[in-house]
């Protein structure tokens, strides 16, 4: 049975997002990959409509939206040729307090949906050394990125999924940790990206 809920953008009844709102979303432009990331792409620009979508999926209990977006991430990864020699799908871990408050990790839901579509396993590879969320840190700390490590040995190409790329600091930190654990390549597909992200990366904010 198909369960319809409110589209988070327009409020119309839909399975996840209504078709009209999907057509109206603005595709993300070119993103300059930070150091240690081989390629990074995003589905949409982080405009007010996409912000509403991401917040509903992230904080509104809408795992149905996350699963739909995870499937879209898989399609984008496949169409951009990012799945060649792909070994595993992982995600940037949420802070412990954020995951406990929501009852789930948005990145894990995205990764599992993407991995099912791609036929590639998803695994929790990254952990935070410190528990605070990026939003609770100073601007300088946010630009440095979260303190991540990968306690497992990895190899080959790793796909990291994320909900929003802003400065690029989080994905850069993820890539450094994965490469230190043995990854040959790290590629990123995000739901959305800030229009300022490429400028920030060019200025060395990663």
């Amino acid at each position: 049975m198909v369960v319809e809920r409110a589209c988070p953008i327009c409020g119309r009844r839909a399975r996840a997002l209504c078709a009209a709102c999907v057509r109206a979303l603005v595709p993300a432009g070119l993103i300059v990959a930070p150091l240690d990331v081989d390629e990074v792409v995003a589905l949409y620009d982080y405009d007010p409509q996409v912000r509403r979508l991401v917040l509903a999926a992230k904080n509104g209990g809408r795992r149905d939206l996350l699963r739909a977006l995870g499937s879209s991430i898989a399609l984008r990864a496949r169409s951009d040729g990012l799945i060649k020699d792909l070994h595993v799908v992982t995600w940037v871990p949420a802070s412990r307090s954020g995951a406990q408050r929501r009852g789930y990790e948005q990145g894990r839901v995205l990764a599992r949906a993407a991995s099912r579509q791609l036929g590639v396993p998803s695994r929790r590879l990254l952990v935070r050394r410190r528990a605070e969320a990026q939003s609770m840190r100073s601007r300088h700390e946010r630009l440095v990125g979260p303190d991540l490590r990968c306690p497992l040995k990895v190899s080959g190409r790793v796909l990291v999924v994320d909900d929003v790329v802003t400065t690029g600091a989080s994905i850069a930190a993820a890539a450094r940790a994965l490469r230190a654990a043995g990854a040959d390549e790290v590629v990123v597909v995000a739901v959305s990206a800030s229009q300022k992200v490429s400028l920030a990366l060019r200025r060395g904010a990663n």
Side-chain angles (χ1 to χ4, degrees):
M1 182 177 67
V2 176
V3 178
E4 291 191 343
R5 301 178 67 178
C7 171
I9 296 176
C10 69
R12 288 192 289 260
R13 303 296 294 178
R15 187 171 182 178
L17 277 171
C18 75
C21 286
V22 171
R23 290 193 296 269
L25 294 177
V26 179
L30 177 67
I31 303 172
V32 177
L35 189 65
D36 295 320
V37 179
D38 291 281
E39 190 168 351
V40 52
V41 297
L43 304 179
Y44 310 114
D45 275 344
Y46 192 57
D47 60 18
Q49 289 73 29
V50 173
R51 182 176 185 273
R52 195 177 307 161
L53 166 63
V54 169
L55 289 177
K58 185 174 180 178
N59 297 326
R62 294 291 303 271
R63 278 179 269 196
D64 59 318
L65 291 175
L66 289 169
R67 287 189 287 268
L69 291 168
S71 295
S72 296
I73 282 174
L75 291 173
R76 179 63 186 270
R78 193 182 297 278
S79 68
D80 280 28
L82 301 181
I83 64 170
K84 183 180 179 181
D85 301 322
L86 182 63
H87 282 207
V88 67
V89 181
T90 194
W91 63 94
V92 177
S95 66
R96 183 179 302 173
S97 60
Q100 289 176 342
R101 184 177 66 254
R102 298 180 190 108
Y104 57 89
E105 275 193 284
Q106 70 275 10
R108 182 172 183 265
V109 180
L110 286 171
R112 290 184 68 181
S115 72
R116 281 195 296 270
Q117 289 286 331
L118 295 172
V120 176
S122 64
R123 297 184 69 187
R124 181 188 298 277
L125 296 178
L126 298 163
V127 296
R128 288 178 180 254
R129 295 177 190 269
R130 293 180 294 178
E132 73 270 26
Q134 280 285 85
S135 60
M136 301 300 292
R137 306 175 76 194
S138 69
R139 174 173 172 76
H140 172 72
E141 288 173 327
R142 289 197 304 271
L143 293 177
V144 171
D147 191 0
L148 302 175
R149 66 184 180 90
C150 178
L152 303 174
K153 283 293 184 182
V154 294
S155 62
R157 174 176 285 192
V158 179
L159 169 62
V160 179
V161 303
D162 204 2
D163 52 0
V164 183
V165 175
T166 50
T167 65
S170 291
I171 59 173
R176 288 192 297 270
L178 291 166
R179 286 186 181 278
D184 297 316
E185 293 181 283
V186 179
V187 294
V188 176
V189 183
V191 173
S192 58
S194 166
Q195 293 177 336
K196 299 177 181 178
V197 64
S198 293
L199 179 60
L201 292 173
R202 289 190 184 103
R203 289 177 175 172
N206 56 320

